[in-house]
């Protein structure tokens, strides 16, 4: 293609008189011209007369694209024509430099000035995108700066036409799909791969533009255009660390520059809203959440990415069925069974001492679990499990675990603080989901979550401080974010209102549960439970007890409870949370703050006495005393058991995974851990004999263990009505018997004659549905083998590791 020949100054082109050259490119020149018909100055762009068909197509495409756009931040095209073989376009004349020219004098701009300029560019892009047009070549030389300082986007020569949903219009002319078009250094990774044009490509270019205005230099220094195209596909563009901007603006730039287009702002309007919120956070907060960019981005991400749709759809389905007055037990069971992982976790949770004792044995079906626990209880368990399941694969899992455990503790505690069953079920979710905004921020906006924590580190991390920090960083508070998602999930209106934090000072008298359908009381119960949870997370030992007492005194009147009762609930909730965490397979690293929610920290007698009655603390829901003088010793023993079992379980896990020990050594480690932690008389391991099919005693520890071990000869039989051991081993059902007299008619003769313990635990070992062994543990006196939910979860973990050792073939 030949160069464009400069016509002499003063020459007329059609009716336009060319006055002076404004700029020159490889394929065209731009002239200032006078339009005598309208008596105005215009810009005339001349294309080389011998331009090829592709270039002429782009020329016409630009005219067609821009002619549809009327926006103050877009340079309009007045007409497109040809004169004496010379193609030309007529634009509005903008008497100012391009951004590229201005940057020669001012390479960088102050943060607010740069953000304001880019917001104008984003306005232009949004208008184009709404008309189905992607610019594809946004860069400083394609942005004119008028005398009023307003940015105007021009040069839509390689723009592509798309339709809603992201596909190109079938009627539109080809625009380079499969070809790499654009300017290296400003081109998005997907554009560099020649993918179908999408608006997020322009968002990336706008991010580069903003980053360069702040840095005063290119974000990618690369002279070779081919290397630049390759690098943008494999390297993250970063705003240099030395650039002095706050964390929020830096986060906006980095999100716009995300290599994964799904992690980027999904539209120019979303990025514009984020910048607007940064410039005027108070106005953004006052605007509400209905159309907030952060919430809109989050909801779209949850719908379209593969990491969270299962959560959203499961929440909606289970919530719909559980809240329905017409749906049956079978309906809820069917919904849960659609998720294999959820089914397994749920059954593990309900097979704890609390439920199995009521059920008279192990719970092996979801329908039985639903019937026993109830619709609302299953819903709460299911939602808890789903939240956890979809957080496990994130790189920042430790922080996610802490946020999840915090939410679960708040829900558990809130439910315990009310004696009303229906209110208990609802307030569980209200307290848990008062943390939903925090959970989702930690999951999706990791960098922003870190910024929020850094701000909170400078002062007390109160609920008000968290909301303020979230608004500053995200543009809206956790409260609004969680409420927006809850609305999208279709949670009941009362629950949507209950999960919002109540405003003002804590009431000085009990909140009436009859007012507003009890929503206001639920909000204060949830807020109080979260405050108690924060107190637990903030300290250990006596300092934690003191903090709990302060919170209890603050909320006692509003909740209509005594401070000592509130503290007792907090202590009791910790034990239950430990059991739930173990049942879920949720392990927290030693030293992590979240372990304070799982360890039993019991008030010394002096602290209990200071809180009120020196003997009995009444837990409203269960009526069980908490933290009496006698219970201090019991709780200390519980803590010792949990610690011993936890350490043993970790040691066994390591040995099994790394095959450091032989199989018999693994089994001995399991039995030793159980014997020491539970203070057993004896513990026996039985193994299936391949010839006879009997489970025979092989390894034993404890007093008289050799004689006891030799007595075990069990023939697994699911139909055995008079042999408890045979039936349970065939079914793979765990069982804890507090007093053997209660099952005397089902104990086999060999057991009564040679073992005869008053309290025992059976843990069958199954592989592919078939019994391969049994772990038996006992104590001589009835009621002395005490295994709490947390203990039982760890004991089962040891059993499961023994099974894994067989499966892995440790030798």
């Amino acid at each position: 293609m030949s160069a464009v020949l400069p016509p002499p100054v003063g020459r007329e082109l059609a009716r336009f008189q060319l006055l002076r050259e404004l700029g020159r490119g490889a394929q065209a020149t731009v002239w200032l011209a006078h339009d005598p018909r309208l008596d105005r100055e215009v810009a005339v762009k001349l294309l080389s007369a011998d331009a090829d068909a592709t270039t002429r197509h782009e020329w016409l495409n630009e005219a067609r694209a821009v002619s549809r756009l009327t926006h103050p931040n877009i340079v309009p095209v007045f007409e497109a024509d040809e004169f004496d073989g010379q193609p030309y376009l007529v634009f509005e004349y903008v008497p100012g430099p391009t951004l590229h020219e201005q940057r020669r004098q001012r390479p960088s701009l102050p943060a607010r000035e740069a953000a304001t300029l880019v917001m104008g560019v984003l306005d232009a892009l949004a208008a184009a995108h709404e008309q189905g047009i992607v610019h594809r070549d946004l860069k400083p030389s394609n942005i004119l700066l008028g005398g009023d300082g307003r940015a105007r986007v021009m040069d839509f020569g390689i723009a592509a036409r798309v339709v809603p949903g992201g596909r190109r219009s079938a009627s539109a002319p080809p625009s380079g799909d499969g070809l790499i078009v654009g300017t290296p250094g400003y081109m998005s990774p997907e554009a560099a791969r020649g993918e179908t044009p999408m608006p997020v490509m322009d968002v990336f270019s706008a991010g580069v533009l903003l980053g360069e205005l702040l840095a005063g230099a290119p974000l990618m220094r690369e002279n070779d255009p081919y290397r630049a195209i390759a690098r943008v596909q494999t390297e993250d563009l970063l705003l240099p660390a030395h650039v002095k901007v706050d964390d929020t603006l830096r986060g906006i730039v980095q999100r716009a520059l995300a290599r994964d287009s799904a992690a980027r702002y999904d539209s120019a309007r979303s990025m514009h809203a984020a910048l607007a919120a940064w410039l005027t956070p108070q106005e953004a907060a006052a605007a509400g959440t209905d159309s907030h960019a952060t919430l809109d981005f989050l909801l779209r991400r949850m719908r379209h990415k593969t990491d969270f749709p299962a959560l959203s759809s499961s929440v909606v389905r289970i919530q719909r069925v559980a809240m329905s007055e017409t749906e049956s037990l079978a309906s809820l069971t069917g919904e849960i069974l659609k998720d294999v992982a959820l089914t397994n976790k749920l059954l593990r949770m309900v097979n704890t001492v609390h439920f199995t004792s009521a059920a008279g044995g192990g719970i092996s079906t979801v329908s039985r679990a639903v019937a026993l626990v109830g619709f609302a209880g299953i819903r709460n368990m299911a939602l808890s499990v789903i939240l956890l399941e979809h957080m496990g694969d994130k790189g920042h899992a430790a922080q996610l675990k802490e946020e999840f455990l915090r939410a679960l503790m708040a829900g558990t505690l809130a439910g315990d603080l009310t004696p009303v069953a229906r209110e208990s079920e609802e307030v569980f979710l209200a307290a848990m989901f008062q943390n939903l905004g925090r959970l989702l921020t930690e999951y999706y906006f990791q960098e922003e979550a870190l910024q929020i924590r850094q701000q909170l580190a400078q002062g007390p991390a109160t609920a008000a401080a968290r909301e303020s920090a979230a608004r500053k960083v995200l543009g809206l508070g956790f409260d609004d974010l969680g409420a927006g998602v809850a609305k999208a999930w279709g949670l009941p209106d009362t629950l949507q209102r209950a999960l919002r934090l109540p405003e003002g000072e804590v009431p000085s008298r009990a909140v009436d549960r009859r007012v507003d359908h009890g929503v206001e009381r639920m909000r204060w119960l949830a807020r109080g439970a979260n405050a108690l949870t924060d107190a637990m997370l903030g300290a250990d030992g006596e300092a934690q007890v003191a903090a709990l007492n302060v919170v209890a005194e603050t909320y006692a009147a509003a909740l209509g409870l005594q401070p000592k009762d509130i503290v007792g609930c907090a202590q009791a909730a910790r034990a239950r949370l430990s059991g739930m965490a173990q049942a879920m397979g949720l392990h927290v690293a030693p030293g992590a703050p979240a372990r304070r929610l799982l360890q039993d920290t019991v008030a010394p007698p002096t602290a209990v006495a200071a809180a009120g009655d020196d003997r009995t603390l009444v837990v409203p829901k269960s009526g069980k005393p908490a933290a009496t003088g006698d219970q201090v010793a019991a709780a200390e023993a519980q803590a010792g058991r949990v610690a011993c079992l936890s350490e043993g379980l970790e040691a066994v896990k390591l040995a099994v995974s790394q095959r450091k020990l032989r199989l018999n050594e693994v089994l001995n480690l399991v039995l030793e851990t159980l014997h020491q932690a539970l203070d057993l008389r004896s513990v026996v391991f039985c193994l299936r004999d391949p010839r006879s099919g009997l489970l025979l005693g092989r390894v034993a520890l404890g007093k008289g263990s050799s004689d006891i071990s030799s007595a075990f000869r069990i023939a697994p039989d699911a139909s055995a009505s008079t042999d408890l051991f045979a039936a349970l081993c065939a079914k793979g059902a765990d069982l804890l018997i507090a007093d053997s007299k209660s099952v005397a008619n089902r104990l086999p003769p060999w057991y009564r004659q040679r073992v005869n313990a008053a309290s025992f635990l059976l843990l069958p070992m199954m592989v592919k549905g078939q019994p391969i062994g049994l772990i038996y543990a006992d104590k001589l006196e009835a009621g002395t083998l005490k295994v709490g939910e947390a203990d039982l979860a760890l004991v089962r973990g040891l059993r499961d590791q023994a099974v894994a050792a067989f499966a892995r073939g440790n030798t």
Side-chain angles (χ1 to χ4, degrees), residues 454-693:
Q454 289 171 343
Q455 290 194 23
L456 291 172
Q458 301 171 9
T462 62
R466 274 194 295 270
E467 286 297 294
S468 176
R471 288 193 186 99
K472 185 175 180 181
V473 174
L474 297 171
L476 82 169
F478 289 140
D479 202 21
D480 290 333
L481 186 63
V485 173
K487 181 178 180 180
W489 280 349
L491 298 183
D493 178 67
T494 54
L495 183 55
Q496 289 185 44
R497 289 186 288 139
L499 62 82
R500 281 190 174 276
L501 287 170
E503 298 178 354
E505 298 296 324
V506 181
S508 58
R509 60 183 180 179
V511 181
D512 193 339
R513 61 170 50 90
R514 294 172 297 179
V515 177
D516 193 22
H517 303 288
V519 169
E520 191 66 11
R521 175 171 168 78
M522 284 194 289
R523 292 171 71 190
W524 283 109
L525 277 165
R527 177 170 159 180
N530 275 285
L532 289 164
T533 302
D534 285 339
M536 293 184 206
L537 280 169
D540 284 311
E542 293 187 10
Q544 184 185 89
V545 173
L548 283 172
N549 281 328
V550 170
V551 177
E553 291 283 353
T554 302
Y555 284 89
L559 304 184
L561 299 171
Q562 293 298 315
K564 59 184 177 64
D565 296 339
I566 295 176
V567 174
C569 280
Q571 293 166 343
R574 182 183 292 106
R576 282 191 296 281
L577 183 67
S578 297
M580 290 180 71
Q582 292 297 334
M584 289 175 165
L586 182 61
H587 303 291
V588 180
R595 287 190 71 89
R596 294 168 179 162
L597 300 177
L598 302 178
Q599 296 169 343
D600 286 309
T601 305
V602 181
T606 53
V608 174
D613 184 354
D614 62 355
R615 286 299 303 166
T616 305
L617 297 182
V618 179
V619 179
K621 184 176 180 181
S622 64
K624 296 179 181 179
T628 64
D630 293 340
Q631 287 178 321
V632 170
E636 289 175 347
Q638 163 72 8
R641 287 196 299 272
V642 170
C644 183
L645 289 168
S646 297
E647 291 174 5
L649 179 58
E650 292 304 315
V652 173
K653 280 184 177 180
L654 184 65
V656 172
S657 63
Q658 299 184 3
R659 301 191 180 186
K660 288 184 174 182
L661 300 178
R662 299 171 66 87
L663 180 57
N664 65 325
E665 293 172 328
V666 171
L667 294 173
N668 272 303
L669 181 56
V670 169
L671 299 187
E672 287 172 4
T673 299
L674 292 173
H675 192 268
Q676 179 180 349
L678 301 181
D679 191 24
L680 300 169
R681 177 191 71 158
S682 63
V683 55
V684 178
F685 167 71
C686 301
L687 180 64
R688 181 178 181 276
D689 179 65
R691 289 180 295 179
S692 65

Side-chain angles (χ1 to χ4, degrees), residues 348-412:
R348 190 186 305 173
M349 289 176 70
V350 298
N351 273 287
T352 58
V353 171
H354 174 72
F355 292 115
T356 53
S357 60
I363 302 168
S364 58
T365 67
V366 171
S367 59
R368 190 176 183 212
V370 175
L372 181 67
V373 180
F375 271 33
I378 289 294
R379 174 198 62 193
N380 295 348
M381 285 185 179
L383 297 186
S384 302
V385 170
I386 295 168
L387 277 171
L388 178 63
E389 286 296 312
H390 290 275
M391 290 180 178
D393 60 348
K394 303 297 285 185
H396 51 304
Q399 187 63 39
L400 282 167
K401 285 179 183 178
E402 179 162 324
E403 292 292 348
F404 174 75
L405 279 172
R406 185 193 177 285
L408 193 56
M409 169 59 87
T412 302

Side-chain angles (χ1 to χ4, degrees), residues 45-197:
K45 184 176 182 180
L46 305 179
L47 183 68
S48 171
D50 59 352
D52 60 23
T54 299
T55 306
R56 285 176 177 268
H57 160 70
E58 291 177 352
W59 182 266
L60 184 58
N61 187 51
E62 177 174 16
R64 287 172 172 165
V66 183
S67 67
R68 290 187 287 269
L69 303 176
T70 302
H71 192 275
N73 293 102
I74 295 176
V75 179
V77 172
F78 293 150
E79 59 183 274
D81 208 341
E82 187 173 312
F83 180 79
D84 287 344
Q86 173 65 66
Y88 67 91
L89 294 179
V90 182
F91 293 91
E92 175 190 11
Y93 170 57
V94 179
T98 66
L99 181 58
H100 175 74
E101 292 166 341
Q102 187 207 54
R103 291 186 60 204
R104 293 174 182 169
Q105 285 73 43
R106 297 180 69 199
S108 64
L109 296 179
R112 296 185 70 84
E113 185 178 344
T116 302
L117 186 150
V118 172
M119 284 171 67
V121 173
L122 290 166
D123 268 334
L125 293 174
H129 296 165
E130 287 164 6
Q131 293 295 319
I133 297 168
V134 181
H135 190 288
R136 297 208 295 176
D137 196 23
L138 185 70
K139 56 187 176 183
S141 60
N142 283 339
I143 298 171
L144 280 170
L145 302 176
D148 57 0
R150 189 193 334 151
R152 292 167 171 85
V153 178
M154 63 177 186
D155 201 352
F156 283 75
I158 58 173
R161 178 80 175 163
V162 295
V163 296
R167 298 183 181 275
R168 291 188 57 247
S169 170
S171 61
S175 59
D177 281 357
L179 300 176
I180 299 175
V181 293
T183 301
Y186 297 91
M187 191 185 303
S188 69
E190 58 273 18
R193 293 190 291 268
E195 294 182 8
T196 301

Side-chain angles (χ1 to χ4, degrees), residues 681-763:
R681 177 191 71 158
S682 63
V683 55
V684 178
F685 167 71
C686 301
L687 180 64
R688 181 178 181 276
D689 179 65
R691 289 180 295 179
S692 65
L694 299 176
L695 300 182
L696 305 178
R698 296 296 190 189
V699 182
L701 293 177
K703 186 176 180 180
S705 59
S706 297
D707 291 339
I708 292 173
S709 174
S710 63
F712 280 81
R713 298 177 62 84
I714 303 168
D717 181 359
S719 63
S721 59
T722 59
D723 190 336
L724 186 65
F725 287 75
L728 292 176
C729 287
K731 296 176 182 179
D734 303 337
L735 180 67
L736 172 63
I737 296 297
D739 187 347
S740 61
K741 290 180 181 178
S742 63
V743 290
N745 61 337
R746 298 195 62 188
L747 295 179
W750 62 264
Y751 184 83
R752 295 195 302 269
Q753 295 166 7
R754 299 184 57 184
V755 183
N756 200 31
S759 185
F760 61 86
L761 172 67
L762 301 180
L763 296 168

